[in-house]
Amino acid sequence: MGIGMFIFLFVTAVSVDSFGIGCVLGLKKVKLAFWGIVVIASVSGIVFLLSSYFGQLLVQVVKPEMAEKAGAVALIGIGMYFLRQFFKQHTENQQDPWLNPAKVLNDPVTADVDKSGGIQGKEVWLLGTALSLDTIGAGISGALIGLPVLLTGGLIASSTFLMLGTGMMAGAKLTNRVESISILPGVLLIIIGLIKLS
């Protein structure tokens, strides 16, 4: 598999959840301003770059072949975690989203903490934090398997911006079944990990 296609799959796996979340917000008529989408996309890209830097530090003390295998195994582990979260029953509905940003991934509408019908102010950072949680492990794993960090980080930010914005526009025209797209990141990350292990 060429490096271009590999990067495409990786970026898609990390950012496709933004489309599903955007669709849910659109379905529920929860507004998110253009600048909010920009902030959320930027947070995802920056978190990826920071976690990639940590991954590059690990590469310096681990043999290249071991680093690549460790990165692949980590991607599979992250993918399995995403699948577990997707199938997990929502047993944390009463938990404050500020204390558990991951809850926002299961129910994006909870990012509208003040129930104003729009995500604004600090709520934008809450949603950005939730969407960037998966980029932490992906950034470390990406560095371990040798992905170009700056290019990948820029593509993740751009893809998150496009997917979140497009998802919100499409949400009003789609059915609730669109939420099932949340299963894709886990599946793609597992596939990428298996390809690197083979």
Side-chain angles (χ1 to χ4, degrees), residues 3-195:
I3 184 66
M5 179 57 69
F6 192 81
I7 293 174
F8 171 77
L9 285 176
F10 185 88
V11 170
T12 300
V14 173
S15 58
V16 73
D17 217 26
S18 301
F19 180 78
I21 285 178
C23 285
V24 173
L25 294 178
L27 283 167
K28 305 296 184 182
K29 310 301 182 186
V30 177
K31 298 178 181 178
L32 175 62
F34 176 83
W35 73 267
I37 299 176
V38 172
V39 168
I40 290 169
S42 299
V43 169
S44 291
I46 291 171
V47 169
F48 177 84
L49 292 176
L50 292 175
S51 59
S52 293
Y53 175 72
F54 180 73
Q56 289 178 329
L57 293 179
L58 290 178
V59 170
Q60 296 177 13
V61 296
V62 180
K63 293 181 179 179
E65 60 273 15
M66 290 298 296
E68 186 167 332
K69 288 187 181 300
V73 170
L75 285 177
I76 293 172
I78 296 170
M80 293 177 67
Y81 173 77
F82 284 173
L83 291 181
R84 178 177 176 273
Q85 291 297 107
F86 177 79
F87 291 111
K88 183 179 179 182
Q89 295 293 327
H90 302 304
T91 57
E92 301 172 340
N93 289 335
Q94 303 303 317
Q95 195 165 1
D96 188 342
W98 291 107
L99 300 177
N100 181 23
K103 175 188 176 185
V104 177
L105 295 178
N106 291 329
D107 185 7
V109 179
T110 58
D112 181 19
V113 179
D114 60 7
K115 311 298 182 186
S116 65
I119 296 175
Q120 51 198 348
K122 293 187 294 184
E123 295 171 344
V124 172
W125 293 100
L126 173 62
L127 183 56
T129 299
L131 279 174
S132 65
L133 290 176
D134 59 344
T135 63
I136 297 174
I140 296 173
S141 302
L144 290 175
I145 62 179
L147 290 181
V149 172
L150 289 177
L151 173 62
T152 307
L155 289 174
I156 285 175
S158 300
S159 182
T160 298
F161 174 83
L162 290 173
M163 289 197 178
L164 185 56
T166 303
M168 292 193 68
M169 289 187 290
K173 301 178 181 180
L174 299 174
T175 68
N176 285 314
R177 292 178 183 176
V178 75
E179 296 182 39
S180 64
I181 198 173
S182 297
I183 198 173
L184 287 180
V187 173
L188 286 174
L189 287 175
I190 290 174
I191 292 173
I192 292 171
L194 291 174
I195 290 173

